[in-house]
Amino acid sequence: MTNRHHLLVHGGTFAVVGDSGDISGVRSGSSPDGLFVRDGRHLSRWQLTVDGAVPEALSPVTGGDTTRCVLVPRGGRQEPAAYALFREQAVGDSSFVESLRVTSNRPVPTTIRLAVTADADFTDQFELRSDHRTYTKPGALRSRQVLDDGVEFTYQRGAWRSCTTVTAEPPPDAVEETGTGARRLVWTLDLEPHGTAELTLRVMARPHGEKRALRVPRSPAAVTEQLLDKEGRFVEGIAFPTGWPELAAACARGLADLAALQVPATGPDGEELRVPAAGAPWFLTLLGRDALLTSLFALPYRPQLAAATLPALAATQATGTNAESVAQPGKIVHEVRDGELAHFGQVPYGRYYGSVDATPLFLVLLGAYVEQTGDTGPARRLQQHARAAVGWMLDHGGLTSRGYLVYRADQGGLANQNWKDSPGAICCADGTRPTGPVMAAGAQGYAYDALRRTAWLARAVWRDETYAALLEQAAGDLRDRFQRDFWMPDRSFPALALDGEGRQVDALASDAGHLLWSGLLDKEYGELVGRRLLEPDFFSGWGVRTLAAGQPAYHPLSYHRGSVWPHDNALITLGLARYGLHDEARTVAHALVDAATAAGHRLPEVLAGYGRDTHAEPVPYPHACERESRSAAAPLALLTAVGGV
C-alpha cells in the first residue's frame, strides 16, 4: 500500500481518500484526508474491512471526478483471492456517495462479513495545518445516534451545530460501537457461487447554518453525470486553437476544473452567486485576489465569472475599521471563512482583509469587464463600491500619504499581504527581510491600472469628468514616482519592494512581470525587464521563477523564493505581449503548456524551480493545491496573449 491521496471536488465540498478509498483521519504528506464542507471535517474515518481484515488494493484508486479501485483479501499465489471488491466513490454538494460490489471467486456458496467503520470528528481545517497551533473548544459535545439505516454524528458547541448522517441501502444488519467515537456498520452477505452483492452508502454533511434542503446523489454515476453536464456547459462555445492541441487541452482541462471549483456567495442585495474558489484542499473558499485574477484570465471566454465575483466582493467590502481583521473602509476582502474557529473568532479569517492588492484588482476587473463586454450594468450598480475602493487606495492604502500602496505585517494573520504572502517572500537578494511598512512593486502596478481604468469608467459611464481627471493625474504621478524610486540602474531592473524607510528591497523577482501586465513601466524599461525575465537564472524551462537563481535568497522548493507559479507566468506572458515582446511571450507560454501536458493537461498551483536542462519533467512542489482556480484559468490567459501558435 502507498500513502498517496486522491482529491475529489464538487463546489464547496471536497474529499481526500487513500489508495484503497479509505479515510484514516491521519494527515499524510501535505493534505488531510476526510470529507470537508465549509472548513469542517464531516468524515474523519471511513474504513472498509471484510471478515475483520483490511483488504489490499489490487487496482489502486484512479483519479477523476469519480474514484474507482479494486480490492482483494491479502494472500499469495497459492491462495487465490476468495472475492474481489469493486469500490466507486464521488462527492456531491455537501455529500459523499459510495457504491460497493462484492463478487465471489469461489464455485461454492460463501458468506462474508463486510463492515464500514465511520466517524466524524468535525475538526476545523485550520487545526489540521502544519503550524503547530492548538485551539480550545470549551463546552464542545459530540454525539452519535443509531438510525434504522445507518448512524448520525452530531457536534455542538454553544449555538454552533454540525451534523453528518450516514445511511446505507440495504440497511446494515447492525451498527456496532468500537470503543472510540466511531461506529461500525456491518453486513453479513451470503453469496451464491461466483455471486455478487451490492451496497450503496450515502453521507450527508450539514454544516452549521445550512438551511437548504440537501439531497445525496443516488450513486457515483449520477454525480459523474452532473459534473460532466456542468463541465460541458462551461466549455461549450469556446473556440480552442486547432494549431496547438496541447494548449487547447490545457484550456479545456482548466475550464472543467473551474466548473468544479465554483462555491456559493451572496451579492449586495442577498442574491445567490457562484464564484471561483481559490483552490483545494486548503482554500476551497472565496479569496479576493484569487477570484479576481481567475475572472480576469477567463474574462474574454467566460465573463460570467467576473459578473459574479464583482458583486460578491462588493457585498463583503469593508465599511469600517477593525484591527483584528485588518479591515478599513473601502477595502476588498482577502479571505472569507465559514468554519467553527472563524465563527468563534479564534482565527481572524471569517472576513479577513489582509491584502494590499485585492482592492486595486477589484477596480481593474470592473473596468476590464465593461471594456470587454460592453455591459455597463455592474459599473453603474457598483459605482459607490468602486469609489470607496479608490478612497481606500488614496487614504488608508497610502497612495496620498506615502505615495504608494503600503501594508504592515499582521501579527495574527499574514506577514506579507501581496500575492507573495509567505513570511520570507519579500526579501533582499541576500534573504534579509525588510523592516517597517512594505511597498511591494506589483501592487503599485495594480494601483496604476486601477486608477486608469476607473478614470475611464468615471468618464464613460458615470459622466464625472472632474473625478476622471483626478484619477488620471494620480496615475501619472504614481508612474513617475515608481520609476524614480524602484528602478535599480545598476541592474536595469525594478526592486521587489521598498521598506519603511524607502530603501530598495533588491531581490530580482518575477513581480517585475506584473508591472508589464499593468503597463506601469516606460517602453524602454519594460523591454529591458521582459528580456531579463527570459535569461536562464529566471527562466527554468517550465516558466519564470519567482526569484532569480544565483541569489542567496533563492531556493527551488521555497513557496515564493524560487518556485514557478503558473498564474504568475500567465500575468508575465500577458505583459510581454503588451510590450510587443511576442517571441518571449510564446517562449513562456510553450513552457507552461509543456508543464501542463506532463501532468495530464492540468497546471498545479506551483512547481519547484528546478531547471528543465537538468530535469526532463517538471518537479512538483510538495505542498501545492492540486486544483487551483488561477492555475486553471492560466491557459486561457496564454491563449489571449499568444493565440494558438
Side-chain angles (χ1 to χ4, degrees):
M1 297 283 288
T2 70
N3 291 322
R4 294 186 307 169
H5 65 267
H6 305 268
L7 176 69
L8 293 165
V9 182
H10 188 123
T13 306
F14 76 90
V16 180
V17 301
D19 256 347
S20 64
D22 281 350
I23 293 169
S24 68
V26 177
R27 181 188 171 105
S28 176
S30 62
S31 178
D33 65 350
L35 173 69
F36 292 83
V37 184
R38 291 192 196 169
D39 297 327
R41 182 158 64 178
H42 281 260
L43 269 187
S44 55
R45 190 173 177 195
W46 189 256
Q47 187 174 38
L48 176 68
T49 57
V50 180
D51 295 331
V54 177
E56 64 180 349
L58 177 64
S59 171
V61 161
T62 55
D65 295 328
T66 303
T67 64
R68 297 177 179 86
C69 65
V70 181
L71 309 175
V72 293
R74 298 176 184 274
R77 287 187 179 182
Q78 304 307 314
E79 301 176 42
Y83 63 84
L85 199 149
F86 301 85
R87 196 173 195 182
E88 187 173 1
Q89 300 167 324
V91 164
D93 184 11
S94 294
S95 62
F96 176 85
V97 60
E98 172 167 332
S99 65
L100 294 168
R101 187 174 82 254
V102 188
T103 298
S104 171
N105 297 323
R106 290 176 171 172
V108 296
T110 302
T111 298
I112 66 172
R113 186 176 188 269
L114 186 147
V116 173
T117 302
D119 197 7
D121 63 4
F122 300 99
T123 300
D124 192 288
Q125 201 171 351
F126 281 91
E127 298 177 82
L128 299 170
R129 298 194 178 196
S130 305
D131 54 11
H132 308 295
R133 299 184 189 183
T134 57
Y135 302 90
T136 60
K137 297 184 174 184
L141 296 173
R142 290 175 59 201
S143 60
R144 301 96 185 154
Q145 179 182 355
V146 175
L147 309 174
D148 290 341
D149 56 353
V151 61
E152 185 168 89
F153 301 91
T154 304
Y155 175 83
Q156 191 156 0
R157 177 184 170 191
W160 179 274
R161 189 178 188 277
S162 297
C163 176
T164 299
T165 305
V166 179
T167 59
E169 184 183 343
D173 298 319
V175 177
E176 301 175 346
E177 296 196 14
T178 61
T180 67
R183 294 294 184 266
R184 184 181 298 113
L185 286 69
V186 180
W187 294 261
T188 300
L189 303 177
D190 296 318
L191 301 177
E192 298 294 328
H194 298 292
T196 294
E198 295 186 3
L199 307 173
T200 300
L201 293 103
R202 299 182 177 93
V203 180
M204 172 59 70
R206 187 170 290 279
H208 175 74
E210 179 61 80
K211 296 180 174 62
R212 295 175 299 162
L214 300 174
R215 295 180 61 186
V216 183
R218 66 182 184 275
S219 67
V223 175
T224 300
E225 185 178 338
Q226 292 174 12
L227 286 172
L228 288 175
D229 178 65
K230 184 186 296 184
E231 292 170 4
R233 284 185 278 111
F234 222 71
V235 174
E236 187 179 5
I238 295 179
F240 295 128
T242 56
W244 193 356
E246 295 83 4
L247 176 57
C251 288
R253 177 69 268 170
L255 283 163
D257 282 347
L258 287 175
L261 286 169
Q262 302 299 295
V263 295
T266 304
D269 297 323
E271 70 271 25
E272 295 182 358
L273 303 166
R274 305 288 292 186
V275 298
W282 293 113
F283 299 102
L284 200 64
T285 187
L286 174 62
L287 266 66
R289 179 193 305 122
D290 299 62
L292 288 160
L293 287 172
T294 298
S295 299
L296 279 161
F297 291 164
L299 182 58
Y301 313 97
R302 282 293 173 261
Q304 63 264 41
L305 295 181
T309 295
L310 288 164
L313 292 176
T316 54
Q317 187 176 31
T319 57
T321 300
N322 184 303
E324 290 185 0
S325 64
V326 205
Q328 295 163 331
K331 203 173 186 183
I332 295 298
V333 75
H334 168 64
E335 185 170 353
V336 176
R337 291 287 184 173
D338 297 306
E340 176 190 359
L341 297 182
H343 175 83
F344 286 101
Q346 292 175 277
V347 296
Y349 302 111
R351 282 192 183 180
Y352 181 66
Y353 294 85
S355 166
V356 73
D357 48 17
T359 307
L361 286 171
F362 173 80
L363 295 167
V364 170
L365 179 61
L366 183 61
Y369 176 85
V370 175
E371 183 180 1
Q372 177 72 42
T373 66
D375 176 11
T376 61
R380 295 181 187 279
R381 181 190 184 197
L382 304 179
Q383 179 180 172
Q384 296 309 312
H385 296 278
R387 288 178 182 262
V390 171
W392 176 83
M393 291 200 304
L394 294 174
D395 298 332
H396 292 283
L399 277 183
T400 300
S401 60
R402 298 297 296 261
Y404 299 107
L405 291 185
V406 179
Y407 68 83
R408 294 163 180 80
D410 176 25
Q411 187 173 3
L414 294 171
N416 286 308
Q417 295 171 26
N418 65 323
W419 86 265
K420 291 179 175 175
D421 57 6
S422 57
I426 303 301
C427 64
C428 294
D430 63 2
T432 304
R433 301 183 189 184
T435 58
V438 174
M439 292 155 272
Q444 315 316 320
Y446 305 159
Y448 171 76
D449 197 13
L451 290 168
R452 291 181 64 253
R453 288 183 184 274
T454 310
W456 176 76
L457 289 176
R459 183 173 289 116
V461 181
W462 305 332
R463 306 302 179 189
D464 190 338
E465 179 63 37
T466 301
Y467 191 54
L470 172 69
L471 299 186
E472 286 174 339
Q473 181 65 48
D477 291 346
L478 174 57
R479 181 177 180 134
D480 292 341
R481 281 194 305 274
F482 183 90
Q483 297 191 148
R484 178 192 70 213
D485 296 340
F486 276 78
W487 191 256
M488 299 185 293
D490 57 330
R491 304 189 186 188
S492 297
F493 207 78
L496 173 58
L498 302 180
D499 70 7
E501 301 300 320
R503 294 172 299 212
Q504 292 178 342
V505 179
D506 65 352
L508 300 182
S510 63
D511 303 60
H514 297 216
L515 305 177
L516 304 182
W517 176 63
S518 299
L520 182 58
L521 297 177
D522 288 343
K523 182 172 177 59
E524 178 186 357
Y525 285 174
E527 290 176 352
L528 287 171
V529 166
R531 294 190 175 102
R532 180 68 181 83
L533 290 170
L534 270 294
E535 292 185 16
D537 57 345
F538 261 123
F539 186 65
S540 74
W542 304 112
V544 176
R545 298 180 176 99
T546 46
L547 207 67
Q551 301 174 96
Y554 168 77
H555 191 304
L557 287 173
S558 170
Y559 199 45
H560 290 121
R561 282 165 52 164
S563 53
V564 173
W565 285 67
H567 95 272
D568 183 30
N569 277 262
L571 289 170
I572 291 168
T573 306
L574 289 166
L576 291 167
R578 176 172 186 160
Y579 278 75
L581 300 172
H582 298 293
D583 289 342
E584 289 81 356
R586 282 189 287 270
T587 296
V588 177
H590 276 275
L592 276 187
V593 171
D594 287 350
T597 303
H601 305 293
R602 173 182 285 143
L603 284 168
E605 175 191 22
V606 54
L607 295 164
Y610 296 108
R612 192 171 185 171
D613 55 342
T614 57
H615 297 81
E617 298 287 333
V619 178
Y621 178 81
H623 308 290
C625 283
E626 294 180 39
R627 300 198 196 180
E628 207 242 17
S629 61
R630 292 175 300 178
S631 291
L636 300 174
L638 302 181
L639 181 58
T640 300
V642 303
V645 294

